[in-house]
Amino acid sequence: MASSKKPGAGKKATPSSGKPKKPSKTSAAPQSFNDEVALLLQMAAQAPVLTFPQLKSEAKLFELVVLTEILEEFNQIGGNVFLQQPLSGTPNTFAGAPASADKHQFAWFDLRGPSGELHAEAWISVQFQGLSTQLALNHGGTSAAASKASRHELDIALFTPESPAIPRLYPSHAEVMAAVSVKHVAKLQKESVREALGFRREMGFLRRRGDRSYCPWLQERVPCDPPSPLFLASSAPNFSTYTGHIDELGVFTRYMKFPW
Amino acid sequence: MARTFEEMTQAVDQIRRFARRYDKPKRREFFENLYLYLSEPLPEDESRKMALETKYLMAVAALTAEIQPASAETYDQVLQRLNAVLLEAKLGDVWISTGPKGGQVAQSADSDGPQLSSNEDDQVPARGYSLRGTLAPRRKLSKAKQALVDRFRVDLPESGRPFGPRSQIRG
């Protein structure tokens, strides 16, 4: 027969053996913690909503944070980084949408070795011509193959230095030395991983054994030809589930706490 | 992270219930997404604890970023760090271009190689906006509220040197 008493009713909270109880890892969370979560929720619900331009700028700022981390790593190996201003445009300007590596309009960074030799150029939001374009041209495709549709924007990219004799706006996949797809999100969606795998496909062929990377100071070995590391950098703390398998294809995840 | 399994379970449950009840238009999409994510069942295997921790951290990251998103002050810190890396010329107030996407490479009839063309786009003056100017101002909180947000943000893992050299290829 079911008791009419509420569970626990009538029981006295008596010390059972006089032994102090160890705080259990599975014991209920203290009320103070629940109160703090409640307050956090209340504050989030009442905070002003960001406008679209503010959200966009926050994402762009995160790209600068990721770029800074990369440039700091280059400094760590004795390299020097030089800001290059646009040759004729507004100083300190970076592309806000998929663009070309137009040195007249946009700023970029030269990465030079200790003796001054130019290793790479670092750019923001530049599109490259994917491997598919090269294959199409190899198979008799016309220059239409190298159209806007065959280009892909890399949030951050290190390119081989431009040859003065051959000006370029859209570097080829072979000129990409390293690339980063940047996602400032609370939760990394699987579609971002699929997108990175698509970039990887357009950046070269898979090789079974990893070759020494174009940028060993960022990633020692890359199982691709050309061996250009591709990173998926995000502020989402749910990265752990994506490591340990996509790196076999040359996509490396990096978590960055942001905002600080 | 110092949170116990029970604390994280209760927090995730509490946040999920709050997100389900939230019905104002202001942040409906945000809380709907949060609710959907937190409602995904946890696995029954050994990855259960990690999955719970991921949910908890994601929720904390989302909530604290809503309360205090990156601001103009964050921008100043980023610019300072970036400039510390640069030799010689430093980066000034950053502009983000919303104008022409750059020139085109064209084959010029009287040259041997490709040339940068001056197409119609190039004639248009570049438009853009100041990155700092469009970021949200820093949201000031009372001492007690700031301490609360900071206590939760401490739970989020630090990233150290995310691009430090390492090889992830096995075998």
Side-chain angles (χ1 to χ4, degrees):
Chain A
M1 201 175 127
S3 164
S4 59
K5 281 183 180 177
K6 284 179 186 171
K11 282 184 187 173
K12 274 187 181 175
T14 50
S16 52
S17 63
K19 243 183 166 180
K21 268 192 172 179
K22 267 188 182 176
S24 165
K25 281 228 163 187
T26 54
S27 64
Q31 185 56 41
S32 59
F33 178 65
N34 296 342
D35 293 343
E36 288 194 341
V37 173
L39 187 55
L40 191 75
L41 282 162
Q42 196 187 356
M43 288 163 70
Q46 289 171 352
V49 176
L50 291 183
T51 61
F52 180 69
Q54 285 174 330
L55 285 168
K56 218 174 146 191
S57 291
E58 196 181 4
K60 207 72 199 171
L61 184 61
F62 185 55
E63 287 180 12
L64 281 182
V65 171
V66 176
L67 175 69
T68 302
E69 291 283 352
I70 289 174
L71 299 181
E72 281 177 352
E73 288 302 330
F74 190 68
N75 258 0
Q76 291 280 332
I77 60 156
N80 294 312
V81 183
F82 296 85
L83 169 68
Q84 299 296 331
Q85 294 287 8
L87 300 176
S88 53
T90 314
N92 310 310
T93 299
F94 298 100
S100 64
D102 185 345
K103 292 185 172 176
H104 287 269
Q105 283 194 40
F106 305 119
W108 76 98
F109 299 91
D110 278 348
L111 278 62
R112 292 183 179 275
S115 38
E117 70 281 15
L118 186 57
H119 277 275
E121 297 175 4
W123 286 83
I124 290 178
S125 293
V126 165
Q127 298 177 90
F128 75 108
Q129 291 284 2
L131 171 66
S132 59
T133 307
Q134 189 60 57
L135 294 175
L137 291 172
N138 290 351
H139 292 110
T142 62
S143 57
S147 68
K148 194 177 173 184
S150 66
R151 296 178 205 133
H152 307 286
E153 181 203 7
L154 296 168
D155 294 322
I156 293 168
L158 302 189
F159 297 123
T160 54
E162 182 188 35
S163 157
I166 313 167
R168 71 162 178 220
L169 288 173
Y170 299 103
S172 74
H173 76 280
E175 292 172 303
V176 179
M177 297 180 72
V180 192
S181 178
V182 181
K183 301 287 174 194
H184 178 40
V185 287
K187 177 184 185 276
L188 190 76
Q189 303 288 344
K190 197 167 244 180
E191 65 209 41
S192 299
V193 177
R194 292 194 196 108
E195 181 191 58
L197 290 168
F199 281 136
R200 183 71 274 173
R201 172 71 282 191
E202 284 282 31
M203 284 169 64
F205 297 99
L206 177 68
R207 288 177 75 103
R208 187 145 176 78
R209 290 184 61 82
D211 274 358
R212 190 162 163 81
S213 162
Y214 272 159
C215 300
W217 46 280
L218 288 174
Q219 179 69 35
E220 198 180 326
R221 289 187 176 277
V222 180
C224 300
D225 175 24
S228 48
L230 171 65
F231 298 96
L232 178 55
S234 177
S235 51
N238 66 326
F239 251 123
S240 51
T241 47
Y242 293 111
T243 53
H245 47 100
I246 59 172
D247 46 340
E248 295 288 345
L249 298 176
V251 180
F252 309 98
T253 56
R254 295 289 185 269
Y255 160 74
M256 292 177 62
K257 189 173 179 175
F258 186 79
W260 298 319
Chain B
M1 196 178 58
R3 303 292 181 199
T4 65
F5 185 83
E6 195 59 32
E7 281 175 329
M8 289 190 292
T9 304
Q10 283 187 217
V12 165
D13 194 45
Q14 193 177 349
I15 296 165
R16 189 179 63 234
R17 278 186 277 114
F18 183 95
R20 188 184 59 200
R21 284 199 310 267
Y22 186 87
D23 59 357
K24 296 180 182 67
K26 186 180 172 186
R27 255 193 188 81
R28 183 173 290 162
E29 195 185 340
F30 172 80
F31 280 112
E32 265 177 15
N33 287 337
L34 199 55
Y35 172 71
L36 287 174
Y37 176 59
L38 296 181
S39 298
E40 288 169 14
L42 289 172
E44 291 295 337
D45 56 19
E46 69 281 356
S47 65
R48 186 176 176 82
K49 191 179 174 197
M50 200 176 85
L52 174 71
E53 188 175 313
T54 301
K55 276 185 196 287
Y56 171 77
L57 292 176
M58 196 287 286
V60 166
L63 291 169
T64 53
E66 283 295 295
I67 296 165
Q68 274 184 323
S71 64
E73 280 74 8
T74 321
Y75 165 93
D76 291 339
Q77 293 166 359
V78 173
L79 197 69
Q80 196 177 9
R81 257 186 76 183
L82 181 52
N83 274 330
V85 180
L86 301 179
L87 215 61
E88 300 176 358
K90 303 293 177 190
L91 191 63
D93 190 18
V94 172
W95 279 76
I96 303 301
S97 167
T98 54
K101 313 280 171 63
Q104 300 286 323
V105 171
Q107 195 73 37
S108 172
D110 56 353
S111 77
D112 294 333
Q115 302 288 311
L116 293 179
S117 79
S118 60
N119 63 14
E120 230 173 78
D121 264 0
D122 293 335
Q123 309 306 318
V124 182
R127 297 184 303 273
Y129 59 89
S130 154
L131 184 58
R132 190 182 196 283
T134 44
L135 285 160
R138 181 172 164 77
R139 290 190 184 149
K140 286 187 181 144
L141 303 171
S142 68
K143 263 190 181 172
K145 283 182 175 174
Q146 186 63 63
L148 176 88
V149 171
D150 292 345
R151 274 200 297 282
F152 279 101
R153 284 197 63 78
V154 162
D155 287 345
L156 300 175
E158 292 297 330
S159 35
R161 277 175 60 189
F163 290 94
R166 53 182 158 164
S167 170
Q168 294 187 13
I169 304 295
R170 291 184 290 271

